[in-house]
């Protein structure tokens, strides 16, 4: 397989004898005009286009399947060059939620093929971990979703398949390119990027040292060790005390509001005592809480709690003055909880 052009920074591209300004022209074609073939770069000499095509692949992934739902959320299954599949979900912003304005688009991207952390409720981890995504494969999801949909992505959330902080170096290389202003990147500012982690405490501290102001979301899903451990094996490696201390360090350093993600699963983590403990964590971290009614995964027995229980859980938080939203569902009908589409693809393959 040829190297992927998007895996390298523009400064590193091998352009042979071509003059330096060609680099900028090529970057402008890719990141500015979003072309997907060297042949379309009409201001380059034919010989250079030919050399580039001989040396590099430009497209990291191809559309394998698209599912759209009535509320215009679109879910993409991409085939990577080596034949693996990953997913992205394109979501229109909810006016009023997270301060987003209508007309803005968020793309939920994957960072790995599969996931090693094996959370019991999650489709991405069911089959184990296969490999990290390269920077080009991460950037490629944004370019391909934009090319397919015709919209410009405003926000990125790393809540697709995989654990982004376990793929730290390649994630940061991808973010360099995604953050860089046009024409050397896509110009998506760090404030518009949310990195979600299942709780890799050392990498959270490492992220705190990065000067960029990414948003951080923690997949908490349990407010006490016994509850969290039952559904998230990572909690044995980094128990709550260690995770929360890392989050506190992050928050002190960045002065940014962390989001605690909390999937509500019937009979597993929806006791109101758990909500009261969650209040303490949220207050300590100055965090807001995002409650997510569990999305049923084929082959797993978990269910979402009844509506009244979800409301009661949210009220405990809200009465205590903690900002808590119940995620309005988009794409429940298209298996938008990541990892689900890929599993189906594997089942039919
Ligand atoms: N590995 C990282 C990033 C992936 S995030 C992390 O866990 O944070 C994927 C998000 O979707 C996580 O918050 C995860 O808990 C959530 N999720 C996974 N399966 C889900 C399901 N069936 N219903 C609702 N949310 C789910
Ligand atoms: Fe991996 Fe995140 Fe799914 Fe857990 S929730 S298995 S860490 S993708």
């Amino acid at each position: 397989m040829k190297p992927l052009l998007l895996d390298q920074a523009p400064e590193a591209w091998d352009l042979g004898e071509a003059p330096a300004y060609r680099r900028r022209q090529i970057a402008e074609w890719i990141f500015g005009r979003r072309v997907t073939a060297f042949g379309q770069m009409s201001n380059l000499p034919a010989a250079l286009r030919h050399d580039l095509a001989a040396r590099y692949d430009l497209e990291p992934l191809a559309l394998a399947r698209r599912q759209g739902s009535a509320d215009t959320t679109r879910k993409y299954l991409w085939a990577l060059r080596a034949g693996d599949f990953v997913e992205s979900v394109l979501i229109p912003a909810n006016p009023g939620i997270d301060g987003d304005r209508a007309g803005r688009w968020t793309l939920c991207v994957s960072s790995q093929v599969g996931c090693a952390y094996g959370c019991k409720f999650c489709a991405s981890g069911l089959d184990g971990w296969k490999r990290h995504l390269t920077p080009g494969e991460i950037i490629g999801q944004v370019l391909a979703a934009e090319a397919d949909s015709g919209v410009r992505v405003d926000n990125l959330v790393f809540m697709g398949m995989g654990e982004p902080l376990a793929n730290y170096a390649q994630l940061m290389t991808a973010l360099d390119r995604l953050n860089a202003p046009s024409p050397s990147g896509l110009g998506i500012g760090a404030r518009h990027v949310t990195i979600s982690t299942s709780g890799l405490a050392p990498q959270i501290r490492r992220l705190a040292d990065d000067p960029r102001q990414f948003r951080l979301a923690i997949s908490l899903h349990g407010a006490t060790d016994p509850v969290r451990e039952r559904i998230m094996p990572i909690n044995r490696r980094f128990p709550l005390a260690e995770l929360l201390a890392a989050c506190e360090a992050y928050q002190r350093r960045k002065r940014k509001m962390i989001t605690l993600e909390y999937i509500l699963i019937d009979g597993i983590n929806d006791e109101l005592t758990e909500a009261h403990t969650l209040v303490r964590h949220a207050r300590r971290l100055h965090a807001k809480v995002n409650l997510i009614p569990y999305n049923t995964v084929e082959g797993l027995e978990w269910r979402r709690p009844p509506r009244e229980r979800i409301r009661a859980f949210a009220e405990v938080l809200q009465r205590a003055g903690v900002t808590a939203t119940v995620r309005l569902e988009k794409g429940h009908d298209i298996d938008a909880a990541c990892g689900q589409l890929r599993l189906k693809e594997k089942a039919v393959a």
Side-chain angles (χ1 to χ4, degrees), residues 265-303:
I265 313 175
D266 193 25
I268 300 289
N269 64 357
D270 60 342
E271 284 293 332
L272 297 187
T273 52
E274 208 65 9
H276 287 287
T277 311
L278 184 55
V279 164
R280 288 213 305 278
H281 299 328
R283 279 191 179 147
R284 171 179 168 196
L285 301 176
H286 308 286
K288 61 181 170 185
V289 176
N290 201 356
L291 297 173
I292 311 154
Y294 182 67
N295 230 328
T296 313
V297 174
E298 249 175 72
L300 296 180
E301 76 275 28
W302 317 98
R303 295 280 170 269

Side-chain angles (χ1 to χ4, degrees), residues 108-112 115 117 119-124 157-165 195-199 217-221 228 232 261-265 292-297 300 302 304 327 329 332 336-340:
C108 174
V109 289
S110 295
S111 55
Q112 300 182 312
C115 183
Y117 293 90
C119 302
K120 299 281 199 301
F121 49 81
C122 175
S124 293
V157 295
F158 283 83
M159 294 186 183
M161 191 186 297
E163 170 52 56
L165 293 187
I195 299 174
S196 177
T197 177
S198 58
I218 307 293
S219 291
L220 201 66
H221 312 326
R228 196 165 190 265
M232 300 183 76
E261 305 276 336
Y262 199 103
I263 301 178
L264 284 165
I265 313 175
I292 311 154
Y294 182 67
N295 230 328
T296 313
V297 174
L300 296 180
W302 317 98
R304 61 177 54 181
R327 191 185 283 175
E329 281 214 78
H332 190 55
C338 273
Q340 297 187 25

Side-chain angles (χ1 to χ4, degrees), residues 24 28 30 56 62 65 71 83-84 109 127 143 154 170 181 203 217 248-249 260 301 339 347:
R24 192 182 162 87
E28 168 65 26
I30 298 172
Y56 290 109
R65 196 180 325 169
D71 55 14
D84 298 317
V109 289
D127 254 3
L143 292 173
D154 305 286
Q170 300 196 86
Q203 277 88 333
E248 192 172 30
L260 302 176
E301 76 275 28

Side-chain angles (χ1 to χ4, degrees), residues 134-333:
T134 68
E137 289 168 334
I138 294 172
I139 301 160
Q141 294 172 60
V142 183
L143 292 173
E146 289 188 339
D148 179 80
S149 63
V151 307
R152 284 292 159 101
V153 169
D154 305 286
N155 302 299
L156 291 178
V157 295
F158 283 83
M159 294 186 183
M161 191 186 297
E163 170 52 56
L165 293 187
N167 187 13
Y168 197 95
Q170 300 196 86
L171 172 73
M172 289 303 147
T173 305
L175 285 171
D176 283 343
R177 199 63 31 231
L178 292 163
N179 291 160
S182 175
S184 46
L186 289 184
I188 302 175
R191 285 181 176 74
H192 295 274
V193 173
T194 301
I195 299 174
S196 177
T197 177
S198 58
L200 305 195
Q203 277 88 333
I204 291 170
R205 291 181 186 272
R206 194 168 161 197
L207 195 64
D209 289 333
D210 190 295
R212 288 174 291 182
Q213 294 282 0
F214 299 119
R215 291 178 186 276
L216 181 64
I218 307 293
S219 291
L220 201 66
H221 312 326
T224 56
D225 281 321
V227 169
R228 196 165 190 265
E229 213 158 284
R230 199 168 147 202
I231 50 180
M232 300 183 76
I234 179 107
N235 198 70
R236 277 191 285 271
R237 215 156 107 211
F238 304 114
L240 275 171
E242 206 172 325
L243 171 58
L244 296 173
C247 292
E248 192 172 30
Y250 185 94
Q251 204 279 330
R252 286 224 178 107
R253 190 80 187 260
K254 300 284 191 191
R255 305 253 152 241
K256 295 216 77 128
M257 200 178 240
I258 293 176
T259 303
L260 302 176
E261 305 276 336
Y262 199 103
I263 301 178
L264 284 165
I265 313 175
D266 193 25
I268 300 289
N269 64 357
D270 60 342
E271 284 293 332
L272 297 187
T273 52
E274 208 65 9
H276 287 287
T277 311
L278 184 55
V279 164
R280 288 213 305 278
H281 299 328
R283 279 191 179 147
R284 171 179 168 196
L285 301 176
H286 308 286
K288 61 181 170 185
V289 176
N290 201 356
L291 297 173
I292 311 154
Y294 182 67
N295 230 328
T296 313
V297 174
E298 249 175 72
L300 296 180
E301 76 275 28
W302 317 98
R303 295 280 170 269
R304 61 177 54 181
R307 212 176 269 272
E308 314 77 66
R309 174 49 70 112
I310 296 174
R311 195 174 308 127
F313 199 97
E315 270 175 18
V316 170
L317 297 165
Q318 286 156 351
R319 283 214 194 98
V322 171
T323 307
T325 48
V326 179
R327 191 185 283 175
L328 283 179
E329 281 214 78
K330 303 224 168 210
H332 190 55
D333 50 334

